[in-house]
Amino acid sequence: YAPVKTDAVRLTFNVVKGAGTAGGEAWIVLCSAYDMSTSAAIYLRQWFGSGDTVGIATGSAPTTYVTRASVSHSVASLDNYTAEYNPSTNTFALYLGTDTTPLVSWTDSTNVVPHGDGFKYIGFAFKSGLLAPGPEISDWIAGDQIP
């Protein structure tokens, strides 16, 4: 309902992995317009027995995204992640726990994602699998960061 104060943002969250192998996706949205008509997102994707994927995507709707970077990563229940955007390097990154090396990162070298007033919202989007919810987010906190 309210944007963060700066373009630099860090959002920490826990994951509850969906039951079974029925798929599902969760997007942790950063640098979004109020209506999610443009945004960047960290995503957690749970597939039908073929492994999990985490990545960074740009969006044009709550569940319409283009993948910019991704990596195979087994998402486990109660894992803690930190998603961040650093405006001084124009880089989005996802970290696991207290690790200082990102699982995945992407530098927006062509300025696909707009920033500034009107593009400082955060949020979540979900797409469930056929028989299970997929990754679920709990215990999240977000705040402005000084790059």
Side-chain angles (χ1 to χ4, degrees):
Y1 78 96
V4 292
K5 294 178 184 176
T6 67
D7 288 332
V9 64
R10 182 175 290 150
L11 193 148
T12 301
F13 59 96
N14 293 330
V15 172
V16 177
K17 187 171 179 175
T21 57
E25 301 177 50
W27 292 275
I28 296 80
V29 181
L30 306 171
C31 305
S32 176
Y34 183 79
D35 61 358
M36 286 189 169
S37 60
T38 180
S39 66
I42 305 296
Y43 68 80
L44 309 172
R45 187 171 288 148
Q46 184 179 344
W47 287 109
F48 296 92
S50 63
D52 301 336
T53 306
V54 297
I56 300 169
T58 54
S60 57
T63 58
T64 303
Y65 287 92
V66 174
T67 298
R68 302 298 178 166
S70 67
V71 64
S72 292
H73 170 72
S74 182
V75 177
S77 280
L78 306 181
D79 274 353
N80 179 263
Y81 294 91
T82 299
E84 76 173 18
Y85 171 67
N86 183 333
S88 63
T89 60
N90 209 16
T91 301
F92 296 87
L94 176 67
Y95 300 88
L96 175 62
T98 59
D99 198 343
T100 58
T101 302
L103 284 171
V104 63
S105 65
W106 173 66
T107 301
D108 185 4
S109 57
T110 59
N111 295 312
V112 173
V113 181
H115 300 285
D117 290 339
F119 301 99
K120 297 179 182 179
Y121 292 89
I122 58 171
F124 301 94
F126 301 92
K127 184 187 286 185
S128 66
L130 183 61
L131 301 172
E136 301 171 45
I137 306 301
S138 71
D139 306 311
W140 66 278
I141 186 168
D144 300 299
Q145 297 297 312
I146 299 172

